[in-house]
Amino acid sequence: MSATGLDVFDKTLQTTNIWLDEITNVIGPDRKLAWRVLSGVLHKLRDRLPVELSAHLSAELPLLVRGTYYDQFTPAKQPTEDKLESFVTDIAQWLVDTRPVDPKVQSGRFSWCYRTIYRVIRSTTSRPPDQQICVPFGCRQKKSR
């Protein structure tokens, strides 16, 4: 039996809960913080992508997450600076009023926030690997289909 009465809502809730579970596996059992990290990383990533690529990325997101992705979206201001340092700083500012979360680069890798969200998106994409949207810093073009 459907929890909401609509399959599309059930699917987005299920996928979003899977994503939040994967994030809480990294940050601990605080689902509110997991949602905050997810939305913050997606906002900061979205703001650094050209509008067209940003739209392609949004198509890979569950419906519920897509809503937060587009929250406060201002296409005319895109893309912003795409340096890793400013990205990490922006995420830290986004999380300033939460329990301590260290968004800094660890062991020469991207911040755990970014890496976790990127891994979650890639693990649930409907596209084959050669057609997935490339979102790490320095990679701005959508791979050809």
Side-chain angles (χ1 to χ4, degrees), residues 3-4 8-18 31 62 64:
T4 65
V8 68
F9 288 163
D10 290 338
K11 181 167 177 41
T12 193
L13 286 172
Q14 179 184 16
T15 304
T16 301
N17 279 317
I18 290 168
R31 289 175 69 79
L64 184 59

Side-chain angles (χ1 to χ4, degrees), residues 127-132 143-145:
R127 297 172 188 240
D130 65 326
Q131 293 179 5
Q132 289 179 354
K143 292 184 177 183
S144 61
R145 291 185 182 206

Side-chain angles (χ1 to χ4, degrees), residues 25-49:
N25 287 338
V26 174
I27 68 170
D30 187 339
R31 289 175 69 79
K32 288 181 182 178
L33 181 58
W35 180 257
R36 187 77 185 261
V37 168
L38 175 62
S39 61
V41 170
L42 288 175
H43 280 181
K44 302 312 174 188
L45 180 60
R46 172 204 70 198
D47 292 345
R48 285 164 170 76
L49 297 173

Side-chain angles (χ1 to χ4, degrees), residues 118-145:
Y118 184 65
R119 183 178 40 80
V120 167
I121 293 170
R122 294 208 39 146
S123 71
T124 57
T125 184
S126 60
R127 297 172 188 240
D130 65 326
Q131 293 179 5
Q132 289 179 354
I133 296 170
C134 186
V135 294
F137 290 89
C139 188
R140 291 268 187 172
Q141 296 181 349
K142 180 180 170 293
K143 292 184 177 183
S144 61
R145 291 185 182 206

Side-chain angles (χ1 to χ4, degrees), residues 93-108:
Q93 289 172 346
W94 181 266
L95 299 173
V96 73
D97 61 347
T98 65
R99 74 168 167 81
V101 176
D102 182 10
K104 299 281 186 221
V105 175
Q106 298 174 355
S107 305

Side-chain angles (χ1 to χ4, degrees), residues 22-85:
E22 288 187 36
I23 296 165
T24 59
N25 287 338
V26 174
I27 68 170
D30 187 339
R31 289 175 69 79
K32 288 181 182 178
L33 181 58
W35 180 257
R36 187 77 185 261
V37 168
L38 175 62
S39 61
V41 170
L42 288 175
H43 280 181
K44 302 312 174 188
L45 180 60
R46 172 204 70 198
D47 292 345
R48 285 164 170 76
L49 297 173
V51 175
E52 183 180 340
L53 183 56
S54 182
H56 284 287
L57 174 59
S58 76
E60 299 296 327
L61 304 175
L63 184 61
L64 184 59
V65 175
R66 194 175 315 147
T68 199
Y69 179 79
Y70 279 118
D71 184 42
Q72 301 177 15
F73 180 54
T74 310
K77 294 182 179 178
Q78 283 185 258
T80 62
E81 183 179 14
D82 66 351
K83 292 191 166 98
L84 179 60
E85 299 81 26

